[in-house]
Amino acid sequence: MKAIGIILAGGNNDGRLGVLTDHRAAAALPIGSCYRAIDFTLSNMSNSGIGKVAVLTQYNSRSLRDHLMSSKWWDFGRKQGGLFVFTPYTSNAGSTWFRGTADSIYQNMTFLKRSNEEYVVITSGDSIYKMDYRKVLEYHKEKNADITVVYQKMTGKDLSKFGILQMDADNKLEGFEEKPEQPKSDAASLGIYVISRTLLINLLNQIIPEGRYSLVKDIIIRFIHTLKIYGYEYDGYWNAIGTGIAAYFETNMDFLKKDIRDHFINEYPYIETKPKDEPPAKYNRGADVTDSIVGSGAIFDGKVEHSVVFRRVRVGKGAVVRNSILMEGCQIGENCVVENAIFDKEVVLSAGQRVIGVSSEEPAVLKKGTKL
């Protein structure tokens, strides 16, 4: 079954990620010492045989566009198909930012109309997971569904940040609650949808002129009793960094777990990213780095424990870094103490500074370029 992909990567998640999305889209956030969040969805598309993908960007898209400048790393550098990056644009007909998820697709309707594939896989660009979309497409066809929504059972988690599905015994949707305070089930939508291309075009042409701009509210919820909408359960690793700083911290720390790290890095099909030409990490005499993953070009003179360290980070003599995330280019001075913290790019601590967060759920966060 042939399909095209649409990745919704336009937002900063309503400020839930604080200063981390002051200068970048959530989909461009660094993950696991060498990846960007969007690498996971792009790799899933390519590994699932989807060779034509549109990335819809809007908010602070410069770093994301730079990352996607060459599509060959995800095997989209091809004559037929390829990777397309769309942003809101100005023309004689007017200029309008994307007013919602459905509107972002509608404003790029040409992409749908010029495609010949039967199905469309729509997903977000800020979720960390590995999925074969071909299995979802097969399920979609078996059920003769109009729309398929991928979900996961999240027993014991805070469900107020997710769309919650209610289904019958055959997994046909009977209800959909958007971020409910008291959810009626623990089946949380993962923001991954399969729909036929022609149906999507028809629905968009119907709702947008009516001033309706949301895929969830104005298509799934509105047409839940008139369209055949089914849920597809996914039981693998999945985390959405866009739900907040705690989720972003947790996701990065998950890469310190061998099974999760192997799942993404060592088990085929692999998650690909844009490579960087940096020298290997360097551990000077007296350095002590344990239970951590380290990006290329980092130099260590101090102690690092249970942390995720990105490219070109420098940790000085006598410094101690614990349970923290240090993004590209951070410099930790001599005898500093960093614990339960997230440092954005190019944070510089002078000698003897202390930055200690409350916990993994409430880490200290320093914005890009902070100098203390």
Side-chain angles (χ1 to χ4, degrees):
M1 288 178 288
K2 292 186 176 181
I4 57 174
I6 295 178
I7 301 175
L8 306 175
N12 72 335
N13 298 84
D14 301 322
R16 284 174 287 182
L17 288 161
V19 297
L20 298 180
T21 50
D22 276 355
H23 60 92
R24 62 164 77 84
L29 274 166
I31 298 290
S33 86
C34 64
Y35 298 108
R36 300 267 190 154
I38 199 170
D39 290 334
F40 296 83
T41 305
L42 285 172
S43 296
N44 290 336
M45 291 284 184
S46 179
N47 295 335
S48 300
I50 299 175
K52 186 176 183 180
V53 175
V55 179
L56 308 185
T57 73
Q58 177 166 261
Y59 179 88
N60 277 352
S61 62
R62 187 202 62 78
S63 63
L64 184 60
R65 291 178 64 87
D66 175 69
H67 186 67
L68 302 176
M69 188 171 295
S70 176
S71 60
K72 65 182 181 181
W73 312 117
W74 305 275
D75 195 29
F76 290 118
R78 56 184 70 186
K79 184 176 181 180
Q80 300 296 326
L83 184 65
F84 301 81
V85 181
F86 297 124
T87 60
Y89 61 91
T90 301
S91 69
N92 291 333
S95 59
T96 304
W97 273 51
F98 298 151
R99 293 163 290 187
T101 49
D103 186 54
S104 66
I105 301 173
Y106 180 79
Q107 288 197 35
N108 295 285
M109 183 73 81
T110 303
F111 175 75
L112 292 177
K113 291 182 175 179
R114 290 181 177 176
S115 301
N116 298 313
E117 291 79 359
E118 185 176 0
Y119 298 104
V120 183
V121 177
I122 304 172
T123 183
S124 67
D126 60 6
S127 296
I128 311 305
Y129 63 106
K130 184 190 284 189
M131 182 183 294
D132 187 346
Y133 299 130
R134 286 172 293 202
K135 295 180 180 179
V136 188
L137 287 161
E138 290 169 2
Y139 177 88
H140 180 85
K141 189 173 182 179
E142 288 171 5
K143 292 291 188 181
N144 193 28
D146 292 315
I147 302 174
T148 296
V149 181
V150 181
Y151 72 93
Q152 186 170 78
K153 293 291 186 71
M154 296 189 181
T155 306
K157 290 190 176 182
D158 178 9
L159 300 178
S160 64
K161 300 176 182 178
F162 299 97
I164 303 301
L165 285 60
Q166 294 94 49
M167 296 167 286
D168 63 17
D170 194 37
N171 269 21
K172 188 175 186 294
L173 263 66
E174 295 181 329
F176 191 111
E177 304 172 278
E178 184 72 327
K179 300 175 183 177
E181 289 298 324
Q182 296 181 325
K184 297 177 182 177
S185 82
D186 61 356
S189 169
L190 303 188
I192 304 166
Y193 315 103
V194 172
I195 184 172
S196 81
R197 184 176 58 85
T198 53
L199 177 60
L200 179 60
I201 291 172
N202 292 337
L203 288 171
L204 292 174
N205 283 331
Q206 178 179 342
I207 69 169
I208 298 300
E210 297 174 352
R212 303 175 186 272
Y213 307 120
S214 168
L215 278 175
V216 172
K217 178 182 176 181
D218 299 317
I219 292 182
I220 294 175
I221 295 178
R222 185 184 183 196
F223 295 101
I224 198 166
H225 298 300
T226 55
L227 294 176
K228 291 181 288 186
I229 306 178
Y230 282 84
Y232 172 89
E233 184 174 7
Y234 174 70
D235 60 2
Y237 179 90
W238 182 90
N239 213 336
I241 62 173
T243 57
I245 287 175
Y248 176 72
F249 191 93
E250 176 189 26
T251 302
N252 273 281
M253 290 302 163
D254 280 345
F255 275 75
L256 300 179
K257 301 172 183 176
K258 187 179 185 304
D259 58 336
I260 293 175
R261 188 169 62 250
D262 285 346
H263 175 62
F264 288 114
I265 298 174
N266 297 326
E267 295 175 5
Y268 184 83
Y270 308 116
I271 302 299
E272 304 292 347
T273 188
K274 177 183 177 181
K276 301 290 185 179
D277 295 324
E278 302 280 358
K282 188 173 187 290
Y283 303 86
N284 291 328
R285 186 182 298 274
D288 182 9
V289 180
T290 57
D291 190 25
S292 301
I293 50 176
V294 174
S296 56
I299 301 176
F300 301 95
D301 287 286
K303 184 173 185 177
V304 179
E305 300 176 351
H306 193 71
S307 295
V308 178
V309 178
F310 288 82
R311 299 186 304 121
R312 296 190 294 104
V313 167
R314 179 69 186 261
V315 179
K317 291 182 179 179
V320 177
V321 178
R322 295 190 184 96
N323 199 42
S324 295
I325 300 168
L326 306 181
M327 295 189 200
E328 178 184 343
C330 288
Q331 298 183 38
I332 310 302
E334 295 184 1
N335 301 313
C336 289
V337 176
V338 178
E339 190 169 350
N340 299 328
I342 302 173
F343 285 9
D344 205 335
K345 292 176 62 174
E346 298 164 0
V347 169
V348 178
L349 296 188
S350 57
Q353 296 291 330
R354 295 173 63 88
V355 178
I356 301 177
V358 175
S359 65
S360 298
E361 288 72 34
E362 296 183 60
V365 183
L366 297 187
K367 67 180 182 179
K368 177 184 177 182
T370 297
K371 292 179 171 60
L372 295 177

